Amino acid sequence: MGEKLFCSPQGSPGISMMLRALLLTSLLSWANGQEGLTMLPEEKTKIRDQIVEMFDHAYGSYMKYAYPADELMPLSCRGRVRGLEPNRGDIDDSLGKFSLTLVDTLDTLVVLNKLDEFEDAVRRTLRDVRLDNDVVVSVFETNIRVLGGLLGAHVMADMLRQRGERMQWYRDELLHMAKELGHRLLPAFNTTSGLPYPRVNLRYGVLNPLSRTGTESDTCTACAGTMILEFAALSRLSGEAVFEEHARKALDVLWEKRQRGSDLVGTVINIHNGDWVRRDSGVGAGIDSYYEYLMKAYILLGDNVYLERFNTHYNAIMKYISQPPLLLNVHMHNPTVSVRSWMDSLLAFFPGLQVLRGDLKPAIETHEMLYQVTKQHKFLPEAFTTEFRVHWGQHPLRPEFAESTYYLYKATGDPYYLRVGQSIVEKLNAHARVPCGFAAVQDVRTGTHEDRMDSFFLAEMFKYLYLLFSEKNQLHFDIDEYIFTTEAHLLPVSLSTSQPPCRGNNTEAPTAVEEDLFTYSCPSTQTLFPNNPSFAKTIRDSYKYLTGVGRAFHASPDRGIELPLHDHGMEPVEFLRSMGISLTPLNEAGETEIHGAHEGVYRVKLVAEVTQTPEEEVVPLIVQLISPPYLGRTVLTAGPAKFGMDLIKQEHGVKGSIVKTSPYTACGPIENAQELSGHIALALRGDCMFAAKARRLQEAGAIGVVFIDHREGSNSAETPLFQMVGDGGSTADITIPLVFLFSQEGALLTSALEDHSNVDVLMLPKERQLGKTARQSR
């Protein structure tokens, strides 16, 4: 990036003047193309000061209302203490009663040049934070947030101490705490494969009878593959090789288990035998930081093995997953077919990783797509469809989009990305700021808030935004001498040379991959933008109206056909509606009713309304048995309904005891209403419409319904899931959650009910299944 783009002209003054004129003309043309985007230093300073004020509001609120609790509840203006607030499932596994937000924020204070506050926060950490609590925590989250936070803070404290200006009292106490925590995480690696358990008890480990964990059989790829930066840094700084060795072993297993034909990995893997549990492959939730850590491990540690593995995976990603500007999940064994029509917000980190790789064109394309989505919805929804509509509406103040914006600005110097950063700042202040901090957005469509401010908001968001609007000479240290972890903690790239490496990998030689210009080197601006400073704009312009904002929409006319329908055990009207087809009986469509049809044959007029709405993908739900002796290990795949409570919007699902309905079909008066009240009803499909059953059971006091298919032998492995639909009228009165089990899955539930007097279940989306910690924050 530092090479000179223009040389002083030699020779005649005429040639010199001509070159100057051409250069001036080129710069003027470029400036005209960037009209309205350029940002003066005064404006950058003003925005940077605004970011500092926002940080002070968030961090000050945590310290005032929440410390020493793990996190701030910004709507309640109090701390979130695990065990004292309602359980939120997996998301609470990041809370370990170790003042999470304070530890996660330590090195942010140095980046923002708040050195007095940093010194005070370090003293508080040493005085108040304990790491031996009897709490079960996520290995992944504790590693990236707490261990990474302690290491990043130690690196900053050591840097300040060596300068002789501050922290002269510091004696590596944070490093000693990091080493203690590392040892408390090591029991998680006690598996036959070397892949870590997803959870560990900070005091009792995994296999101790008092640990209350160790029953899990699988973990996400990112959970196992996002340890190497923190563990290797801990080994290099402490001299204890055991941490880096365990993290390397986990990466070796994931590499060994990749699908050799596609070079892709799945999302969830069995920690004991290494079999893939979920074979969908993408760059978002569940896999994301595995790829990130392969690239960054090479940068931090200088080991070619990591780069060669990353390049192999990256080629596969660009071949199968990347469909610019989209990044779509595929099946690792059949990667030419997309497995879902929506994307999750965690993939927003990927353009930043592509910048590190030097592949800017697809980075610019995907980032622009994400920016257009934020323009449409204010923030990135947790998931959105390929038509850029909301799939899951939550936005927990994730920083990945800001991260990629920062990287793209550093790579291009294009002021466009300063304007993108400015929009992030403005939207946070306008739509997330509350009196006691910043609150997550529960639904971007309504703007409602959630009583939650995750620690990563302070650890990451403010770092990337502050750095975006800062010049290098305005920082207290050279940011280019450090690599960001996935939680934006700072580790010095000098570790590869200043500290001895651990024993090398003894794994197979990596597969040879086709090398390109950026395989082993960082690209320069001249290479990326040869005499074309508007290169990035040219790419972005192709996606300016990607989401349809600014374009008029013209609906297509209705079209109708007549179709005979034979009932093969599935209500025909319900079946067609499950495929998204609107139905109107002939006599209701203004036609004379047709008589004489054979029994079992239906004649209807199809009114297929052609709109912008894409074909909806059926999002799998589950019924998870959580009472003894099942304890979450029995999970039944279920189909959703197009009416009733939307379980996708219920972060923690719906929990209750199962009661069998009488009559079982729920097509007549409910005979055991008193027994059903406050419980989840179990009902058999058939004899009447789902909506009719749901209304009766809701009136009886049921808090949810599990419908079981009446067709013997049906199962989710062989039959595609479908969405239950209403009866043609309004179903707004039905507000309880409804799920559908095929008969084989239903038989497992009814058998459990016969064997045990009480069966508690959890109804929720499959991706939020208890026991699968597929990264809540990155």
Side-chain angles (χ1 to χ4, degrees), residues 614-635:
E615 180 181 345
E616 295 182 47
E617 180 185 3
V618 177
V619 178
L621 306 177
I622 57 167
V623 176
Q624 187 167 17
L625 280 63
I626 57 176
S627 54
Y630 305 101
L631 300 176
R633 290 187 290 269
T634 299
V635 180

Side-chain angles (χ1 to χ4, degrees), residues 565-590:
L565 299 171
H566 295 269
D567 187 1
H568 294 293
M570 188 175 189
E571 294 87 336
V573 174
E574 165 199 319
F575 174 75
L576 285 170
R577 284 201 176 114
S578 75
M579 296 190 297
I581 298 174
S582 240
L583 298 148
T584 303
L586 285 177
N587 58 336
E588 293 181 16

Side-chain angles (χ1 to χ4, degrees), residues 137-140 188 196-200 216-220 223 271 771 773:
V137 297
S138 162
V139 173
F140 169 74
Y197 281 96
R199 298 180 183 84
V200 67
E216 303 93 342
S217 61
D218 46 61
T219 192
C220 72
C223 299
I271 59 176
T773 45

Side-chain angles (χ1 to χ4, degrees), residues 39 42 123 250 317 336 344 436 482 487 540 649 672 687:
M39 187 175 288
E42 295 79 12
R123 292 186 185 275
I317 290 167
T336 58
D344 65 77
C436 294
Y482 299 84
E487 191 78 5
R540 288 195 303 267
K649 297 179 181 178
N672 61 336
D687 294 347

Side-chain angles (χ1 to χ4, degrees), residues 437-696:
F438 289 82
V441 179
Q442 192 167 42
D443 194 323
V444 297
R445 290 163 291 198
T446 62
T448 53
H449 286 137
E450 189 176 353
D451 202 2
R452 166 183 179 186
M453 188 180 82
D454 290 79
S455 68
F456 55 71
F457 181 59
L458 288 163
E460 301 184 63
M461 181 70 83
F462 289 106
K463 272 200 194 86
Y464 291 124
L465 289 177
Y466 184 84
L467 290 170
L468 177 62
F469 292 96
S470 299
E471 303 299 331
K472 287 187 67 173
N473 59 12
Q474 294 171 326
L475 302 176
H476 208 71
F477 57 94
D478 186 352
I479 194 68
D480 292 334
E481 293 181 355
Y482 299 84
I483 188 77
F484 288 110
T485 69
T486 196
E487 191 78 5
H489 293 305
L490 295 163
L491 298 176
V493 293
S494 60
L495 280 181
S496 62
T497 55
S498 63
Q499 302 292 337
C502 297
R503 291 190 293 273
N505 282 353
N506 295 317
T507 53
E508 61 173 289
T511 306
V513 297
E514 182 180 349
E515 296 182 4
D516 62 23
L517 187 62
F518 306 135
T519 299
Y520 291 101
S521 63
C522 293
S524 71
T525 307
Q526 178 66 12
T527 302
L528 293 171
F529 311 121
N531 305 315
N532 183 10
S534 61
F535 174 80
K537 181 179 184 300
T538 304
I539 298 172
R540 288 195 303 267
D541 283 349
S542 302
Y543 302 96
K544 189 173 182 181
Y545 298 108
L546 190 67
T547 62
V549 174
R551 285 181 175 174
F553 170 67
H554 303 284
S556 302
D558 293 348
R559 289 178 285 178
I561 59 172
E562 294 183 10
L563 182 71
L565 299 171
H566 295 269
D567 187 1
H568 294 293
M570 188 175 189
E571 294 87 336
V573 174
E574 165 199 319
F575 174 75
L576 285 170
R577 284 201 176 114
S578 75
M579 296 190 297
I581 298 174
S582 240
L583 298 148
T584 303
L586 285 177
N587 58 336
E588 293 181 16
E591 302 282 348
T592 304
E593 187 172 358
I594 297 179
H595 299 282
H598 298 291
E599 186 176 356
V601 177
Y602 298 76
R603 287 190 174 229
V604 294
K605 182 174 181 179
L606 302 179
V607 183
E609 184 181 1
V610 183
T611 70
Q612 280 185 310
T613 306
E615 180 181 345
E616 295 182 47
E617 180 185 3
V618 177
V619 178
L621 306 177
I622 57 167
V623 176
Q624 187 167 17
L625 280 63
I626 57 176
S627 54
Y630 305 101
L631 300 176
R633 290 187 290 269
T634 299
V635 180
L636 310 174
T637 299
K642 284 195 172 185
F643 58 100
M645 180 188 293
D646 186 354
L647 284 170
I648 293 174
K649 297 179 181 178
Q650 306 301 312
E651 184 173 354
H652 313 301
V654 172
K655 175 184 175 183
S657 299
I658 291 289
V659 173
K660 190 173 180 179
T661 303
S662 179
Y664 197 15
T665 60
C667 287
I670 304 301
E671 299 169 2
N672 61 336
Q674 187 171 357
E675 187 182 355
L676 279 173
S677 181
H679 297 87
I680 295 176
L682 188 65
L684 187 67
R685 176 186 181 185
D687 294 347
C688 62
M689 299 296 287
F690 287 122
K693 299 171 189 279
R695 284 192 181 92
R696 290 191 185 94

